[in-house]
Amino acid sequence: DTAVSQTPKYLVTQMGNDKSIKCEQNLGHDTMYWYKQDSKKFLKIMFSYNNKELIINETVPNRFSPKSPDKAHLNLHINSLELGDSAVYFCASSQESPSWTSGTWDEQFFGPGTRLTVL
Amino acid sequence: AQSVTQLGSHVSVSEGALVLLRCNYSSSVPPYLFWYVQYPNQGLQLLLKYTSAATLVKGINGFEAEFKKSETSFHLTKPSAHMSDAAEYFCAVSKAAGNKLTFGGGTRVLVKP
């Protein structure tokens, strides 16, 4: 079973369009994240949600709007796409509270990524 | 504020040779430190983590890293490189569980036969 899944894997679209990327985790985690990896492989946090509430917003343009319908899902909607939005977007999840039995309470599990190309 | 610096964006090693990837961090509070690996066209996979327990941390695939507070470093090593180790490696720091990861710029490892 895939722990953190993202759809689509590839997304090619024209400038000005609106698109969404979906993320689901089946790990029972409380916290989910979106990261952006640019063409130089630099990874940067965009958003973090805990139990459907936004807890981190790293000065991302308003065109990006995350939505968390439940704690297992965190979707990313992007309006008016620009060339500079081309990147690989990674979703991740982690447990907020320590779970000493699993020992993975501080680990973020990443999805496979969505490669967005804006033409 | 936290930051991570990885020295060397590319490292080339011969198969069987030592792999050494350097990571220095800055953090205003005791950090949690991580190394992730990214194989081509794949997501990130955790190699190992330091969360204030033993300073020498052993991870998967024969990798280990040592936390040195005095040097603010968390360098990653593997005694003998394998062709399958060719990938991008990222060092990351966070303040606590459930907190954002701040990544270094990544180091691409090339393994020569």
Side-chain angles (χ1 to χ4, degrees), chain A residues 65-77:
Chain A
S65 52
K67 284 187 172 52
S68 182
D70 54 62
K71 73 174 193 177
H73 295 84
L74 179 61
N75 304 323
L76 183 64
H77 188 76

Side-chain angles (χ1 to χ4, degrees), chain A residues 9 31 33 35 37 40-43 45 48 55-56 58 90 94-96 103-108 110-112 115, chain B residues 32 34 36 38 41-46 49-51 88 90 94 96-106 108:
Chain A
K9 188 171 175 65
T31 307
Y33 312 79
Y35 288 87
Q37 185 177 45
K40 296 183 178 176
K41 299 284 187 178
F42 186 68
L43 268 160
I45 183 83
S48 174
I55 55 173
I56 294 175
E58 289 286 306
F90 287 101
S94 70
Q95 283 180 254
E96 181 193 20
T104 59
W105 62 288
D106 48 2
E107 177 180 349
Q108 291 186 21
F110 283 78
R115 183 176 294 276
Chain B
Y32 293 176
F34 306 81
Y36 280 86
Q38 184 180 27
N41 299 313
Q42 293 188 29
L44 282 81
Q45 180 182 1
L46 182 69
K49 60 190 178 188
Y50 166 77
T51 54
E88 190 94 22
F90 293 93
S94 76
N99 201 287
K100 66 178 181 178
L101 287 171
T102 299
F103 285 91
R108 175 160 293 183

Side-chain angles (χ1 to χ4, degrees), chain A residues 59-115:
Chain A
T59 59
V60 177
N62 291 337
R63 299 182 295 104
F64 290 79
S65 52
K67 284 187 172 52
S68 182
D70 54 62
K71 73 174 193 177
H73 295 84
L74 179 61
N75 304 323
L76 183 64
H77 188 76
I78 315 170
N79 291 325
S80 303
L81 278 155
E82 301 177 356
L83 293 176
D85 298 332
S86 295
V88 181
Y89 292 84
F90 287 101
C91 178
S93 73
S94 70
Q95 283 180 254
E96 181 193 20
S97 301
S99 172
W100 302 117
T101 55
S102 69
T104 59
W105 62 288
D106 48 2
E107 177 180 349
Q108 291 186 21
F109 291 80
F110 283 78
T114 296
R115 183 176 294 276

Side-chain angles (χ1 to χ4, degrees), chain B residues 57-75:
Chain B
V57 180
K58 293 189 184 300
I60 62 171
N61 301 341
F63 284 93
E64 63 181 37
E66 186 172 9
F67 172 68
K68 292 187 176 180
K69 185 178 179 181
S70 61
E71 298 177 8
T72 61
S73 69
F74 191 56
H75 302 331

Side-chain angles (χ1 to χ4, degrees), chain A residues 7-23:
Chain A
T7 54
K9 188 171 175 65
Y10 298 96
L11 184 54
V12 181
T13 188
Q14 300 285 334
M15 263 197 320
N17 284 350
D18 304 337
K19 291 293 180 185
S20 292
I21 307 172
K22 296 186 176 183
C23 178

